[in-house]
């Protein structure tokens, strides 16, 4: 037993000072500092203080440690309020919405932007749908409205604004109020203020208190700092493990060093690695990965990096061979042995107004969570002409990270970085112009970036070339310039001629019939069916038809197969428009909303029901917030409204309803219309109608056409049926291709057919193993904790629980 518990027992029922029992009207009060003793009055508590003081402090410390070393369920950021996945602790991967004070993940913000651009909608908040502020003044007004209702996030951000402006006292007041309302980041900023004495008198004890409060609330940076400042290794290790479980990279690095020094066991470090990976994986989704690729800045100067690498490698080899101390290959000073030494060297360069060193120190502050100081250093580096600092500032202003959101300033710094030769900034400018349909300006930016060796820019130019927005000559010139920039970064020994050539066939420039070239006003047109030849007129095409017919048919079949056997990115179900995870192939695990025609996964539908039930709200659609229909008649009315608006999903649903009621002819009409509008499942259902002769005359050829169209659009069942059709006709190689594509989409029937083919020797062990892994990956991609909870709930409901 602990010495702290020696006073327990009778103390629970009697005053620790006078011994009076808790009976009748006498109520005992627990000690203010601990939970060990009780008193009948304040007088008794004061008289007993000298005897109890030491034990009280010891117990209070134990109680504080119980709270301090408790693993938080999530980080201080919590979950994204749209997709319900944990927010990344990397502040660049989420954005603060000033209108509703919600922090939205990068994936949901990006999806919302795409949706608005596609539909030509006014930019609005991804959560509350409030119009986004168009000016800095509007943004500040939104935040001040939230401040008036004591919103801790808004108070925090207004405090940051005052900090950037140099008004530390005002910043401290806002952070203090936000901390009182429970904001973890505000506690963290207060700890920095007390430690540095900015806006308040230096107070190490108060700084420590606020750092602990931030850590208790799930702030990984605060937890890491506590570990660094702990006196005993045992306590530091506890802090590091908690931070690692929250996904803190710096903490896992420190644990790695401890493991190398023999301070942490192999099993303990392995467990920490798994926990860290699990925390990182929990913040990932396909939508977020797409957004990350879009927002990620490119490496600013590949040529500069490769040249530096070219210099460093021989230097290292020379030092290793001659057993020399490691030195800088340029100035020959000893290389720093620790990160702190490196940062100290950089600070010396900062004092000499070195822009690269300033940018580096700014990045160090950013990585430690001090975004405000990062902005200060980046701003100074940008003033001295550093392109990468301009690029970092542009991202900060666009996202509102460490500085007030300001699109105009973000655009300015992005342009300055691009002017200074930053390919990533140039690429982002092109993307921005493309999103705003200023394609000519976008192409100009990407050509400049491609000339600097930007891979992303050459990919965008390739896409625009295919879409007819870039001429063949301009694309070819950009390709050559891009290759030249890439070759310039290679060593002479590594230079090899690329096998990728720009092959220009004479057929591209001459009529296949009369041989006239495409010059001046003469424009050639491609063959109607294939892409092999071109003609100057319809007459030439007719004259050449007999010579070209056989090759044309062969090429048409090849082109069709290229499309047919291309792996779709997703199934026809696509992704849930709320959580952006792939929808399961099982239609029972999703629901179509009659009001907006969206198909929502059971996880999001269930989460919406829980929210409405807890808040006692009216039942609404999880996507468009339209009140949920209460009767079948209301559902049909909603669907018919969608039909009137040419919604293919609604049209297909009505068609299926007529089919189930036996009216196959009317069902066929609706399904045909839905298929014309691009609905994949309607194509699949039409193939069945033609196969069985329901509502239309039997036609195997048309049935096969619609089956292929459905398969191309990602319907796994259609792909499976095509495989069976090919197998029955002895074309087992084509059948296997179809089943592999369907298995990659998560189709169970296709993986069973591939298993049979493997046992019969028609599929190799490697191909079958690859298909198995892809099938498992596709199935796992449709799962989430929210969906698992929903499935369990509906399972219990079906069983009458």
């Amino acid at each position: 037993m602990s010495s702290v518990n020696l006073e327990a027992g009778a103390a629970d029922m009697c005053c620790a000072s006078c011994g009076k029992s808790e009976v009748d009207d006498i109520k005992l009060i627990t000690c203010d500092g601990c939970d060990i003793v009780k008193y009948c009055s304040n007088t008794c508590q004061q008289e007993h203080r000298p005897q109890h003081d030491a034990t009280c402090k010891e117990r209070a410390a134990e109680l504080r440690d119980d709270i301090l070393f408790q693993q938080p369920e999530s980080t201080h950021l919590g979950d994204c309020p749209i997709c319900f996945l944990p927010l990344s602790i990397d502040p660049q991967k989420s954005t603060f919405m000033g209108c509703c004070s919600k922090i939205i993940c990068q994936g949901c913000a990006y999806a919302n932007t795409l949706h608005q651009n596609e539909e030509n909608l006014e930019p609005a908040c991804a959560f509350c749908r409030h119009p986004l502020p168009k000016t800095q003044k509007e943004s500040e007004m939104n935040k001040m409205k939230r401040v008036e209702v004591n919103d801790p996030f808004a108070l925090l951000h207004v405090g940051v604004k005052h900090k950037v402006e140099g008004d530390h006292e005002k910043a401290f007041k806002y952070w203090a109020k936000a901390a009182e309302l429970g904001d973890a980041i505000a506690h963290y900023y207060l700890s920095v203020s007390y430690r540095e004495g900015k806006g308040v008198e230096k107070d190490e004890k108060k700084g420590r208190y606020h750092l602990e409060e931030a850590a208790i609330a799930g702030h990984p940076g605060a937890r890491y700092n506590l570990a660094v400042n702990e006196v005993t290794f045992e306590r530091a290790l506890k802090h590091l493990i908690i931070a690692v479980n929250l996904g803190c990279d710096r903490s896992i690095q420190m644990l790695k060093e401890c493991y190398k020094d023999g301070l942490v066991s192999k099993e303990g470090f392995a467990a920490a690695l798994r926990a860290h990976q699990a925390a990182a994986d929990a913040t990932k989704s396909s939508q977020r990965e797409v957004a990350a690729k879009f927002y990620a800045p490119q490496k600013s100067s590949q040529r500069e990096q490769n040249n530096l690498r070219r210099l460093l490698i021989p230097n290292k080899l020379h030092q290793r061979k001659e057993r020399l101390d490691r030195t800088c290959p340029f100035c020959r000073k000893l290389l720093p042995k620790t990160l702190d030494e490196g940062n100290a060297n950089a600070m010396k360069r900062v004092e000499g107004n070195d822009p690269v060193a300033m940018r580096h120190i700014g990045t160090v502050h950013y990585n430690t969570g001090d975004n405000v100081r990062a902005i200060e250093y980046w701003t100074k580096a940008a003033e001295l002409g550093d392109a990468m600092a301009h690029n970092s500032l542009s991202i900060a202003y666009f996202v509102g990270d460490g500085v007030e959101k300001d699109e105009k300033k973000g655009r300015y710094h992005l342009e300055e970085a691009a002017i200074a030769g930053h390919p990533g900034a140039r690429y982002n400018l092109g993307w921005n112009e493309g999103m705003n349909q200023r394609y000519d300006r976008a192409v100009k930016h990407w050509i400049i970036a491609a000339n600097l060796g930007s891979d992303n820019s050459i990919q965008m130019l390739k896409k625009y070339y295919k879409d007819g927005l870039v001429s063949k000559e301009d694309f070819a010139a950009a390709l050559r310039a891009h290759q030249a920039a890439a070759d310039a970064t290679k060593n002479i020994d590594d230079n090899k001629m690329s096998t990728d050539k720009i092959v220009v066939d004479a057929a591209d420039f001459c009529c296949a019939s009369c041989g006239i070239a495409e010059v001046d006003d003469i424009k050639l047109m491609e063959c109607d069916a294939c892409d092999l030849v071109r003609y100057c007129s319809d007459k030439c095409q007719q004259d050449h038809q007999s010579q070209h017919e056989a090759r044309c048919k062969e090429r048409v079949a090849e082109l069709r197969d290229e499309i047919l056997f291309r792996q779709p990115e997703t199934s026809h179900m696509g992704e849930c428009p709320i959580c952006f995870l792939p929808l399961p192939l099982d239609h029972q695990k999703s629901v179509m909303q009659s009001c907006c025609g969206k198909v929502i996964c059971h996880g999001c539908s269930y989460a919406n029901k829980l929210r409405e039930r807890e808040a006692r709200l009216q039942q609404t659609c999880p996507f468009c917030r339209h009140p949920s229909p209460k009767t079948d008649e209301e559902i049909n009315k909603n669907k018919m409204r969608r039909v009137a608006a040419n919604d293919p999903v609604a049209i297909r649903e009505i068609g299926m309803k007529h089919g189930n009621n036996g009216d196959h002819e009317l069902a066929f009409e609706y399904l045909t219309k839905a298929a014309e509008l691009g609905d994949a499942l309607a194509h699949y259902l039409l193939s069945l109608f033609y196969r069985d002769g329901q509502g239309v005359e039997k036609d195997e050829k048309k049935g096969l056409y619609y089956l292929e169209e459905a398969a191309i659009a990602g319907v796994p069942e259609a792909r499976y049926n095509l495989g069976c059709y090919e197998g029955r006709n002895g074309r087992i190689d084509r059948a296997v291709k179809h089943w592999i594509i369907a298995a990659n989409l998560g189709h169970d029937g296709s993986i069973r057919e591939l298993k049979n083919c493997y046992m019969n020797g028609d599929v190799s062990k490697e191909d079958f193993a690859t298909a198995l892994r892809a099938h498992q990956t596709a199935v796992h991609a449709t799962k989430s904790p929210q969906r698992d909870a929903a499935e369990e709930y509906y399972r219990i409901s079906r069983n009458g629980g």
Side-chain angles (χ1 to χ4, degrees), residues 301 381 419 509:
S301 176
I419 291 165
F509 294 101

Side-chain angles (χ1 to χ4, degrees), residues 594-595 629-640:
S594 61
C595 45
K630 297 177 181 177
T631 64
D632 289 341
E633 189 180 350
E634 282 186 48
I635 293 173
N636 288 333
K637 280 183 179 178
N638 284 346
K639 285 182 180 177
M640 290 311 294

Side-chain angles (χ1 to χ4, degrees), residues 264-487:
V264 176
S265 68
K266 185 177 181 180
E267 294 75 16
F269 180 57
L273 268 175
R274 288 193 296 271
H276 177 265
Q277 190 60 48
D281 288 343
T283 66
K284 294 178 180 177
S285 72
S286 55
Q287 188 67 40
R288 290 183 181 183
E289 286 172 10
V290 172
K293 287 178 185 176
F294 169 68
Y295 289 115
Q298 295 182 339
K299 293 181 180 178
S300 63
S301 176
Q302 192 65 39
R303 182 178 301 182
E304 182 182 341
Q305 291 178 13
N306 284 346
N307 285 340
L308 180 62
R309 196 177 295 115
R310 191 182 303 171
L311 179 65
L312 286 173
I313 291 172
N315 186 61
K316 282 184 180 178
L317 291 174
H318 168 69
Q319 289 167 354
R320 192 178 299 167
K321 184 179 178 182
E322 302 295 330
R323 297 183 180 178
L324 302 173
D325 289 330
R326 291 180 63 194
T327 59
C328 167
F330 183 75
C331 68
R332 299 304 179 189
K333 283 190 177 180
L334 287 174
L335 290 178
K337 295 179 181 177
T338 65
L339 190 61
D340 288 340
E341 276 186 51
N343 290 338
N345 286 347
M347 285 306 296
K348 289 176 186 174
R349 300 295 305 166
V350 166
E351 290 167 9
N353 277 342
D354 186 315
V356 177
M358 286 177 185
R359 183 235 304 153
H360 168 75
I361 293 297
T363 304
V364 169
H365 283 298
Y366 181 81
N367 291 335
T368 55
D370 194 347
N371 301 350
V372 177
R373 293 195 72 184
I375 295 295
E376 291 174 4
Y377 279 101
W378 287 340
T379 302
K380 197 167 181 184
E383 287 170 2
L384 293 167
D386 188 79
M388 291 177 74
H390 274 296
N391 191 55
S392 297
L393 283 173
S394 75
I395 296 168
Y397 276 111
F398 275 127
V399 215
D401 194 2
V403 70
E404 196 73 19
K405 214 174 186 180
D406 191 327
E407 193 171 330
K408 191 174 178 182
K409 285 186 179 178
R411 173 82 186 195
Y412 164 77
H413 285 291
L414 197 62
E415 288 181 353
E416 286 298 308
I419 291 165
H422 195 295
R426 184 69 71 177
Y427 168 80
N428 289 342
L429 279 174
W431 183 274
N432 184 267
E433 297 289 2
M435 293 292 280
N436 288 288
Q437 298 183 356
R438 294 188 286 267
Y439 304 121
D440 54 334
R441 293 175 66 87
V443 167
K444 285 180 182 178
H445 284 302
W446 289 330
I447 285 176
I448 293 170
N451 291 348
L452 295 171
S454 168
D455 295 332
N456 286 349
S457 296
I458 205 71
Q459 288 301 321
M460 290 307 300
L461 287 171
K462 182 180 179 182
K463 181 180 181 299
Y464 270 35
Y465 165 61
K466 287 181 177 179
D467 294 341
L469 297 171
V470 176
S471 70
K472 187 171 187 176
E473 292 73 17
D474 287 346
F475 179 55
L479 266 175
R480 288 191 293 271
H482 175 265
Q483 188 61 47
D487 289 341

Side-chain angles (χ1 to χ4, degrees), residues 7 9-23 26 28-29 36-40:
E7 296 183 36
D12 289 340
M13 303 299 294
C14 301
C15 174
S17 180
C18 66
K20 193 175 289 184
S21 300
E22 187 174 35
V23 292
I26 299 171
L28 301 184
I29 51 174
I36 298 175
V37 295
K38 294 183 176 181
Y39 300 100
C40 63

